[in-house]
Amino acid sequence: MVADILRRTRALVVGLLILLAGFGTADAAEALLTRYLGTVQPGDLAAGADRFGTPLPNAPVVPIHKGGALVGHAYLTSDFVNTTGYSGRPIHVMVGLAPDGTVTGAKLVDHHEPIVLIGIPPAKVNAFIDGYVGKNVLALASQSASSPPVDIVSGATVTVMVIGDSIIRSGKKVLQALGAPGAAEAAPTVARSLDLSKTGIEDWTTLVGDGSVRRLSLTVGEVNAAFERTGKAEAIARPEPGEPNDGFIDLYAALATIPAVGRSLLGDAEYETLVQRLKPGQHAIVVAGQGRYSFKGSGYVRGGIFDRFELVQHEGAIRFRDRLHKRLGSLAAAGAPDFAEIGLFIIPENAGFNPADPWRLQLLVQRATAALDKAFVTFDLGYQPPEKFLKAEPVAAPPAAATVAPVSVAPVEPEAAEETPLWRRIWESRLFDIAVVAVAILLLTGIFFFQDQLVKRPALYERVRTGFLVFTLVWLGWYATAQLSVVNVLTFANALRTDFRWDYFLMDPLVFILWFSVAASLLFWGRGAFCGWLCPFGALQELASKAAKKLGVRQITVPFGLHQRLWPIKYMIFLLLFGLSLTSLATAEKAAEIEPFKTAIILHFVREWWFVLFAVALIAAGLFIERFFCRYLCPLGAALAIPGRLRMFDWLRRYKECGNPCRRCANECPVQAIHPDGSINPNECIQCLHCQVLYHHDRKCPVMIQKRLKRERRDATHSTSTGAGTAAEAKPRAAVLNTDPATGHLSVRPEGL
């Protein structure tokens, strides 16, 4: 036994060392443009183009040629600007740019955005990107948009906002690098900065009157008119209810790092706390709103980002995350209204924000047009610090240059723009969810370690198991969407071969914690701890099966010989998906739709009809054959069963009579993981512990029945010897074994009954 444990432990350690050896194989120095240029054709980035030229020596830009003519330049947005998306990783878009700044083509070449991977059709995102073709980046960078230049994709707001913003800002930087006329910023003659010596306390009327606090007030009529200008029939057909003059939102914004403004709005104590928290180069704004429309929304609670507004200065956009946000109950300024929402938002020190320059708060207003679709318009709240809070100093003119030479642009390291890793901020924002999952895993660990005490009480066991399955389905699955998938396995394997990074896998804390617990449980119990207890879709199947049995739905018993030939199908599916992932991870992810997890758990059946029909069909099959999908089709279960062979202990107890002559456990196993000979197939076992309930049941297990009868005879004999019973009661009866030919169940009865 010890030697076997050592052998398996050694094999596991060797495997882990092999995995760790692959972590650093990615070539970090590889140029991004070179890596992705081969994924596009010249014609994708400029109509009629037939070849790429030689990369420029001073910037990551490649000329695009049509015959002998130069028609534009190709570049990758992430080489010039920060393109970090919702996932915390860069969104790479290849762009073709004409010499005058017109976008001639654009293509999404790589991303890790979870909402696009699991639900939003890529065609919608590609259509959004195509909307920039034919538009001039200089014009887009200079205008104050009253509505987005391209229709935003509902459900992927942050993702497409990052894409659109990166196309505009990177395009301007490319033109500056190429020395294009009109792209260079005019050299300032005067440097303006905040005059921190101006202090004092002002009331609300004064702050609003001198422009220290700026206001955007929208009525229902103005919002409806803005949607009418979009020309979208679906949005126009669903106007905001109410009278045209009814208030929609009353929004106020101010720069809190102006001492007089900050002290007036926050009060002395809150302002001093803010000053101590700010790092060099950091600033903060106060945003307050009231009305029927919330400028905060609710998406940031789950994802850590506010997607209904952003701060725009020059060509740069700044989005706020919950870690740099503080909720305020009220404003300290005398006469300030009572606002429903007030927030203090800190601007990162490396965002390039200049507090003396104008900026605008861009409010995104959305309107549902279908179950999953929305239309959007934007409104701007412009802000210019009052002159009384500014000071100006002359700037020396730069030396004249004989010629205008292109400026060398160094590639941007996208992750450097965040002062704290995004994954850490997400973990901090989901502490409650993390605590709930941790408690659930600890409870499940206790169930397994002290299973004997639980399974000896069948009624308690049934309540505990049903309650845990309900938690797994409702909270872990439908609420927290923490459904593991074979896609996670394929992505991890692909990362080991390419650019493994822990921060990518840390983006979803609940999924990461579940995977960590699964890895640990494989050493003790195999795959059953997850498949039998922590898989939301598995819980859905089992709960549906329980309901079907109570309603009298007749169950189908699959002959064991046929069952033996069907369960290997899931291993074939997994191997096929793994093989596909070695050549194309994207293709493997599409093929992984054989898992109904996204449809039934993550997207709550709100999806195209064929996905819903497939998921419902699998659940319906499970009403007649319990856990049909788990038994025969689940590639994730197959993936977990392979390393599950390394488990060091066999926790499920058996009698020598199991299988010969008694087959009760084998017949009642919900997934037929027990062979007719009584042995348990660990690859198929879901650790439901039902066989352990039977193992201790003195009314169902023949071995336990014999023990009970012996105990009763002994008690009867003891009663007789003490005068408490009759000789007839004390007479021992021989035990008779009966085998049911139909079910294989073995029963025990005293002779003569």
Side-chain angles (χ1 to χ4, degrees):
M1 177 65 178
V2 175
D4 185 58
I5 293 176
L6 292 176
R7 177 181 58 80
R8 296 184 181 187
T9 304
R10 183 167 57 252
L12 177 63
V13 171
V14 172
L16 290 175
L17 291 176
I18 294 173
L19 294 181
L20 291 172
F23 285 2
T25 58
D27 185 5
E30 181 183 6
L32 291 177
L33 178 63
T34 304
R35 185 188 308 176
Y36 292 109
L37 189 63
T39 63
V40 298
Q41 298 298 320
D44 297 333
L45 303 181
D50 50 26
R51 66 183 179 90
F52 291 117
T54 303
L56 300 185
N58 63 315
V61 175
V62 175
I64 307 175
H65 296 280
K66 181 180 180 180
L70 175 69
V71 294
H73 293 85
Y75 70 93
L76 197 68
T77 55
S78 46
D79 275 332
F80 289 87
V81 297
N82 176 32
T83 62
T84 302
Y86 200 89
S87 67
R89 301 196 69 187
I91 303 173
H92 301 295
V93 179
M94 191 74 72
V95 179
L97 198 65
D100 65 351
T102 300
V103 178
T104 58
K107 183 177 180 181
L108 178 65
V109 293
D110 189 24
H111 75 91
H112 298 276
E113 296 299 274
I115 191 62
V116 179
L117 290 174
I118 68 170
I120 302 298
K124 287 190 175 183
V125 179
N126 293 330
F128 170 83
I129 296 174
D130 291 342
Y132 282 87
V133 176
K135 292 181 170 59
N136 190 283
V137 294
L138 295 178
L140 294 177
S142 62
Q143 71 184 24
S144 175
S146 60
S147 62
V150 178
D151 293 342
I152 291 176
V153 179
S154 69
T157 308
V158 174
T159 299
V160 297
M161 287 174 68
V162 170
I163 292 174
D165 179 68
S166 65
I167 291 175
I168 296 172
R169 292 189 295 119
S170 63
K172 186 173 181 179
K173 288 184 178 292
V174 168
L175 293 176
Q176 291 172 352
L178 297 174
E185 300 285 353
T189 59
V190 176
R192 298 161 64 85
S193 61
L194 292 181
D195 187 353
L196 301 180
S197 65
K198 300 290 183 65
T199 60
I201 301 295
E202 305 287 354
D203 60 19
W204 180 257
T205 302
T206 302
L207 291 171
V208 175
D210 66 7
S212 299
V213 176
R214 298 297 176 100
R215 178 188 185 191
L216 171 66
S217 181
L218 296 175
T219 65
V220 169
E222 290 172 328
V223 173
N224 287 335
F227 277 105
E228 289 174 2
R229 288 193 294 271
T230 66
K232 299 176 183 176
E234 299 87 352
I236 298 173
R238 300 187 180 188
E240 190 71 27
E243 297 297 325
N245 292 328
D246 288 351
F248 181 76
I249 189 174
D250 205 13
L251 189 67
Y252 294 82
L255 185 61
T257 38
I258 299 176
V261 177
R263 288 188 183 276
S264 300
L265 294 176
L266 303 177
D268 289 334
E270 188 68 45
Y271 177 76
E272 292 297 336
T273 301
L274 171 65
V275 171
Q276 294 174 8
R277 181 181 178 185
L278 294 178
K279 298 178 181 179
Q282 275 191 311
H283 296 272
I285 63 172
V286 173
V287 183
Q290 57 187 354
R292 65 173 67 184
Y293 190 73
S294 166
F295 72 88
K296 289 185 178 180
S298 59
Y300 77 95
V301 175
R302 292 180 292 104
I305 190 169
F306 295 87
D307 60 1
R308 289 192 177 184
F309 73 96
E310 62 182 1
L311 188 154
V312 181
Q313 187 177 66
H314 307 308
E315 76 277 7
I318 301 169
R319 296 169 191 86
F320 298 95
R321 302 182 184 274
D322 56 353
R323 184 177 178 274
L324 298 180
H325 157 255
K326 181 177 182 179
R327 181 183 179 276
L328 301 177
S330 62
L331 296 177
D338 292 329
F339 291 100
E341 292 180 320
I342 309 174
L344 179 65
F345 299 90
I346 295 177
I347 302 171
E349 73 273 18
N350 50 12
F353 177 76
N354 186 343
D357 287 350
W359 50 271
R360 70 181 190 270
L361 203 67
Q362 190 172 80
L363 178 70
L364 186 71
V365 178
Q366 59 188 21
R367 174 176 292 177
T369 58
L372 292 177
D373 293 329
K374 297 178 182 178
F376 301 86
V377 292
T378 59
F379 299 89
D380 288 346
L381 185 161
Y383 191 90
Q384 168 67 55
E387 289 294 330
K388 65 180 181 180
F389 296 129
L390 301 177
K391 60 182 180 180
E393 297 177 355
V395 176
T403 59
V404 178
V407 179
S408 177
V409 178
V412 174
E413 179 62 34
E415 285 72 12
E418 298 289 353
E419 64 166 335
T420 302
L422 175 60
W423 69 265
R424 187 178 301 171
R425 295 197 300 273
I426 294 177
W427 280 64
E428 292 173 354
S429 69
R430 302 193 68 179
L431 290 178
F432 175 77
D433 292 348
I434 292 171
V436 172
V437 171
V439 170
I441 292 175
L442 288 175
L443 175 60
L444 181 59
T445 304
I447 289 173
F448 280 127
F449 272 102
F450 302 100
Q451 58 183 261
D452 284 349
Q453 287 71 27
L454 177 64
V455 296
K456 289 178 181 179
R457 300 166 175 83
L460 177 61
Y461 159 80
E462 187 63 28
R463 294 190 190 100
V464 170
R465 176 154 178 81
T466 302
F468 202 99
L469 292 176
V470 170
F471 162 80
T472 298
L473 173 61
V474 177
W475 193 91
L476 195 61
W478 285 337
Y479 170 76
T481 64
Q483 169 72 67
L484 303 189
S485 167
V486 72
V487 174
N488 303 131
V489 178
L490 302 179
T491 303
F492 183 79
N494 184 71
L496 293 178
R497 299 185 300 107
T498 55
D499 57 345
F500 182 89
R501 294 180 54 181
W502 276 114
D503 55 352
Y504 171 56
F505 296 97
L506 289 166
M507 284 302 151
D508 192 324
L510 302 190
V511 170
F512 182 84
I513 292 172
L514 285 175
W515 273 118
F516 185 84
S517 66
V518 167
S521 67
L522 288 176
L523 298 176
F524 291 90
W525 305 287
R527 73 179 181 99
F530 170 76
C531 295
W533 296 81
L534 290 172
C535 177
F537 189 76
L540 174 60
Q541 290 182 95
E542 185 162 333
L543 292 172
S545 177
K546 287 178 180 291
K549 292 175 182 176
K550 287 185 178 297
L551 294 174
V553 176
R554 184 176 180 180
Q555 300 296 294
I556 298 175
T557 301
V558 181
F560 192 79
L562 177 60
H563 170 72
Q564 284 284 80
R565 287 160 177 78
L566 291 178
W567 64 253
I569 294 176
K570 59 178 175 287
Y571 294 92
M572 299 177 189
I573 294 173
F574 169 68
L575 292 176
L576 176 62
L577 293 175
F578 186 78
L580 285 175
S581 71
L582 297 179
T583 58
S584 173
L585 183 59
T587 303
E589 289 173 348
K590 293 178 181 178
E593 288 290 354
I594 193 171
E595 291 180 331
F597 304 161
K598 298 175 187 177
T599 302
I601 304 300
I602 297 176
L603 298 178
H604 308 122
F605 294 99
V606 182
R607 210 176 182 191
E608 290 85 352
W609 66 267
W610 51 88
F611 288 113
V612 176
L613 179 62
F614 177 66
V616 171
L618 291 176
I619 296 173
L623 300 179
F624 302 93
I625 302 175
E626 186 171 349
R627 285 184 175 254
F628 173 84
F629 178 78
C630 297
R631 294 194 197 190
Y632 306 125
L633 299 177
C634 182
L636 177 60
L640 296 180
I642 295 173
R645 298 291 294 179
L646 293 173
R647 77 191 192 288
M648 295 184 291
F649 306 104
D650 289 323
W651 293 72
L652 302 181
R653 302 167 67 179
R654 312 295 290 150
Y655 295 114
K656 66 179 185 297
E657 291 86 357
C658 292
N660 184 22
C662 181
R663 296 181 182 177
R664 182 159 198 146
C665 290
N667 291 330
E668 293 191 16
C669 178
V671 291
Q672 291 182 262
I674 302 178
H675 288 232
D677 63 6
S679 63
I680 298 176
N681 184 348
N683 289 347
E684 303 304 305
C685 178
I686 61 171
Q687 294 287 334
C688 66
L689 304 182
H690 178 70
C691 61
Q692 299 304 287
V693 174
L694 297 177
Y695 180 91
H696 293 282
H697 206 300
D698 62 5
R699 300 288 174 177
K700 295 182 178 180
C701 175
V703 176
M704 291 300 297
I705 293 174
Q706 286 183 323
K707 291 181 179 180
R708 176 175 58 81
L709 292 176
K710 289 180 181 179
R711 183 174 63 252
E712 290 176 352
R713 290 198 303 271
R714 184 174 61 251
D715 292 343
T717 302
H718 177 71
S719 299
T720 302
S721 64
T722 58
T726 65
E729 291 173 337
K731 183 179 179 179
R733 294 172 177 171
V736 179
L737 301 180
N738 290 326
T739 302
D740 188 332
T743 65
H745 290 175
L746 187 68
S747 60
V748 182
R749 66 176 178 82
E751 185 180 27
L753 292 183

